[in-house]
Amino acid sequence: MTATAALAACLVFILGRLLRKRQRKLPRWAMPAAIGCTMIVYSVWNEYTWFARMQSALPQNVVVLGTGQRSAPWAPWTYAAPVTVRFVAMDTHAISRSEQKPALVRGRLLLVERWQPTRTVAVAFDCAANLRADLMGSATLAADGVLTGARWQAVAPGEPAFQAACKSM
């Protein structure tokens, strides 16, 4: 943002020099107004394009499953057009199937949020029974299907993470 402000200042300076050669002057408020407006426009552009830029930088094997938006009082325009500030994705190359029970799948969800470090959550799916378990802490899923340290939860077959993990069944 500092570079954007510096560019605006340079452009206003050049414009002022050109006008001075023609015996005209810019008002004194032109420089700070141009810098302030440039910084606001850049900040709004940066917020609204964050998700698209992040998504285009993801490898092809990472599938975006859902997004979250935000509106804020300090940015009243976000009530008309909320800003995407987080998304959940799955790394399809990290999906592994149990050799003993092929309906059991393990994967990794990526929780990406603006201004926060990316977190990962290991998950297990029973594609035949429409079940999901979050493998947090010491939770494990053995190759024979025994789940320890977590509980199976029913999921709708249309749930995006379930579909991404079980689509090759």
Side-chain angles (χ1 to χ4, degrees):
M1 184 158 29
T2 305
T4 307
L7 176 63
C10 289
L11 292 174
V12 171
F13 179 77
I14 292 168
L15 179 64
R17 298 290 286 188
L18 291 173
L19 286 174
R20 231 180 265 154
K21 287 184 179 185
R22 294 190 173 148
Q23 310 302 337
R24 300 177 81 187
K25 276 183 131 180
L26 278 177
R28 292 185 65 150
W29 53 264
M31 178 82 70
I35 292 170
C37 288
T38 301
M39 291 174 70
I40 289 169
V41 167
Y42 176 78
S43 294
V44 170
W45 171 85
N46 193 31
E47 289 296 313
Y48 275 100
T49 61
W50 172 80
F51 174 65
R53 289 182 286 125
M54 287 295 291
Q55 190 175 23
S56 67
L58 293 173
Q60 288 186 354
N61 57 294
V62 176
V63 178
V64 175
L65 305 173
T67 61
Q69 277 109 12
R70 177 201 72 188
S71 297
W74 57 85
W77 56 87
T78 60
Y79 289 104
V83 178
T84 301
V85 294
R86 63 185 163 277
F87 65 91
V88 177
M90 179 175 273
D91 183 356
T92 58
H93 282 185
I95 294 173
S96 62
R97 298 199 176 280
S98 169
E99 289 185 22
Q100 292 179 9
K101 293 190 174 186
L104 295 178
V105 177
R106 273 186 260 200
R108 190 171 59 215
L109 294 177
L110 305 170
L111 308 174
V112 183
E113 188 169 353
R114 183 103 165 114
W115 309 114
Q116 299 295 322
T118 299
R119 292 170 288 185
T120 60
V121 176
V123 291
F125 296 97
D126 185 336
C127 298
N130 294 341
L131 298 173
R132 169 189 168 160
D134 294 334
L135 303 177
M136 300 175 78
S138 61
T140 59
L141 177 65
D144 62 357
V146 175
L147 180 67
T148 55
R151 287 185 167 189
W152 288 110
Q153 300 172 5
V155 294
E159 199 262 335
F162 183 82
Q163 284 184 327
C166 297
K167 72 179 179 184
S168 63
M169 289 284 306

